[in-house]
């Protein structure tokens, strides 16, 4: 219920969920249950998903309506919770970050060794959590942007040990190439890998929460485009690799993912490694037979409570 968002009642507020529908679509790409004759399938069929709110409901006078917008304060608080949950014992191996910061995300280059928001993102890396970050949908070359001269986009351009920046590919026209809207890096410095992000069918809310502009569909499924749709393919792949090789470090998993990528697609002039290739990642440094166990899962509606204390 929309009114619950501003109710100040913790029990009501915590049940609001995904106020824009964006996160529901991302979650389906990561871990929608497969082989159950229902809807779509995620990259990792059996995975624990923890929803962390990263969007605020804001009123924009110019459109005379409410919309969902991510604020730096939302992101920082969300990271605090994730790190606290990990320290409390939750097996958190990856975080999907399908958003830009500060509404637009473009700003003068920052010193990530001193900037407060950058250091907050670094906490994920320092705690062995791989941050899968969408490159953004401006169609810009980070090395020489046309519209945002002299600026960089964050969090896309953070460079931490356990962060991965992801662009979008499409095979809508012919072959598989960079989506026209996807940001990229001609020097390969700022974008690590690409993944499918155009005309992606996934789960969605059945009813809107804050306005009719939300992502929703009466049947619970919808096609969406964006690097936001590409990032969860990588997040799901990270989760799957971690399930196969639970004892490997975040750095090892990231290396497998990147060096197992297909260099023939969106590498030259676009990224450091090319397009996501899960089979290549699985066998990147472990060329032994990998056996998969098909679990008897009929639904993914189980909720496990996590109690974590965020220290002030």
């Amino acid at each position: 219920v929309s009114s619950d968002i501003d109710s100040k009642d913790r029990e009501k507020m915590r049940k609001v969920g995904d106020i824009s529908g964006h996160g529901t679509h991302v979650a389906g790409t990561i871990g929608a249950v497969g082989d159950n004759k229902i809807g779509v399938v995620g990259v990792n069929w059996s995975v624990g998903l923890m929803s962390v709110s990263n969007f605020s409901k804001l009123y924009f006078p110019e459109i005379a309506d409410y919309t969902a917008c991510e604020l730096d304060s939302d992101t920082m608080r969300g990271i605090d919770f994730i790190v606290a949950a990990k320290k409390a014992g939750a097996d958190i191996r990856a975080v999907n970050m399908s958003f830009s910061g500060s509404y637009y995300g473009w700003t003068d280059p920052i010193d990530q060794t001193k900037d407060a928001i950058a250091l907050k993102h670094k906490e994920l890396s320092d705690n062995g959590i791989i941050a899968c970050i969408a490159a953004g949908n401006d169609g810009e070359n980070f090395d020489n942007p046309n519209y945002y001269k002299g600026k960089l986009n964050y969090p896309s351009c953070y460079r931490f040990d356990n962060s991965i920046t992801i662009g979008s590919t499409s095979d809508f026209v012919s072959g598989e190439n960079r989506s026209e809207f996807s940001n990229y890096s001609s020097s390969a410095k700022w974008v690590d890998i690409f993944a499918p992000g155009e005309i992606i069918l996934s789960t969605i809310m059945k009813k809107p929460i804050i306005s009719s502009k939300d992502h929703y569909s009466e049947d619970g499924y919808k096609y969406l485009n964006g690097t936001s749709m590409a990032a969860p393919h990588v997040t799901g792949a990270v989760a799957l690799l971690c399930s196969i090789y639970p004892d490997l470090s975040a750095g090892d998993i990231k290396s497998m993912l990147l060096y197992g990528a297909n260099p023939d697609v969106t590498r030259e002039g676009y990224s450091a490694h090319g397009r996501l290739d899960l089979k290549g990642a699985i066998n990147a440094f472990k060329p032994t037979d990998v056996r998969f166990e098909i679990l008897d899962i009929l639904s993914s509606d189980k909720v496990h409570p996590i109690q974590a204390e965020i220290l002030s």
Side-chain angles (χ1 to χ4, degrees):
V1 181
S2 178
S3 60
D4 288 347
I5 298 175
D6 301 317
S7 67
K8 310 302 181 187
D9 183 316
R10 181 177 298 232
E11 285 302 307
K12 290 182 178 180
M13 292 172 68
R14 75 179 181 85
K15 295 178 181 178
V16 171
D18 182 10
I19 66 171
S20 71
H22 185 270
T24 303
H25 198 276
V26 165
T29 299
I30 295 172
V33 174
D35 201 27
N36 61 355
K37 300 180 181 180
I38 301 174
V40 297
V41 61
V43 178
N44 190 346
W45 293 12
S46 178
V47 64
L49 295 173
M50 184 174 75
S51 176
V52 180
S53 178
N54 191 59
F55 288 81
S56 290
K57 184 185 99 170
L58 296 179
Y59 183 78
F60 282 76
E62 57 269 29
I63 62 173
D65 201 356
Y66 287 94
T67 188
C69 181
E70 71 271 15
L71 304 176
D72 289 333
S73 57
D74 296 326
T75 302
M76 294 174 78
R77 192 66 173 169
I79 292 174
D80 281 341
F81 179 79
I82 292 166
V83 172
K86 172 111 186 199
K87 291 181 177 179
D91 184 22
I92 301 173
R93 303 299 303 271
V95 171
N96 189 85
M97 307 186 97
S98 289
F99 57 84
S100 296
S102 301
Y103 192 45
Y104 287 111
W106 289 90
T107 186
D108 292 333
I110 67 169
D111 183 347
Q112 68 177 35
T113 66
K114 298 178 180 179
D115 181 78
I117 301 172
L119 291 173
K120 185 61 64 177
H121 281 263
K122 185 175 181 292
E123 288 185 29
L124 294 172
S125 180
D126 291 345
N127 282 277
I129 300 171
I130 297 176
C132 301
I133 307 170
N137 305 325
D138 309 291
E140 293 277 18
N141 179 1
F142 286 140
D143 297 283
N144 185 27
N146 292 317
Y147 186 78
Y148 304 97
K149 293 290 186 182
K151 298 184 182 297
L152 288 174
N153 182 284
Y154 297 97
S156 311
C157 293
Y158 288 141
R159 300 282 80 193
F160 296 118
D161 290 342
N162 293 322
S163 65
I164 302 174
T165 297
I166 303 138
S168 168
T169 62
S170 171
D171 59 359
F172 182 61
V173 181
S174 61
E176 187 154 14
N177 299 287
R178 178 184 72 89
S179 300
E180 289 187 4
F181 56 74
S182 179
N183 292 335
Y184 62 101
S185 174
S186 58
S187 72
K189 178 180 179 180
W190 304 107
V191 177
D192 299 293
I193 195 170
F194 275 69
E198 197 162 347
I199 317 180
I200 304 300
L201 180 66
S202 187
T203 50
I204 205 73
M205 297 189 306
K206 292 186 176 182
K207 295 181 180 179
I209 292 180
I210 61 173
S211 81
S212 60
K213 300 180 181 66
D214 299 341
H215 299 310
Y216 78 98
S217 174
E218 291 183 359
D219 66 358
Y221 302 96
K222 193 170 186 177
Y223 290 95
L224 292 180
N225 304 317
T227 56
S228 285
M229 285 61 253
H233 281 89
V234 175
T235 308
V238 169
L240 185 58
L241 289 173
C242 287
S243 70
I244 297 171
Y245 305 115
D247 297 327
L248 291 184
S249 68
D252 288 336
I253 294 294
K254 175 182 174 179
S255 294
M256 292 176 71
L257 189 81
L258 297 185
Y259 289 102
N262 180 353
D264 296 327
V265 181
T266 58
R267 179 181 181 181
E268 191 67 31
Y270 298 111
S271 69
H273 298 278
R275 189 201 60 202
L276 173 68
D277 183 337
L278 186 50
K279 182 178 180 181
I282 289 174
N283 295 305
F285 306 127
K286 300 273 186 176
T288 56
D289 290 336
V290 177
R291 301 177 68 89
F292 294 93
E293 180 182 359
I294 304 300
L295 302 178
D296 185 17
I297 299 176
L298 299 179
S299 68
S300 55
D301 58 357
K302 294 182 179 179
V303 177
H304 302 281
I306 294 176
Q307 187 171 7
E309 180 181 1
I310 300 176
L311 302 177
S312 58

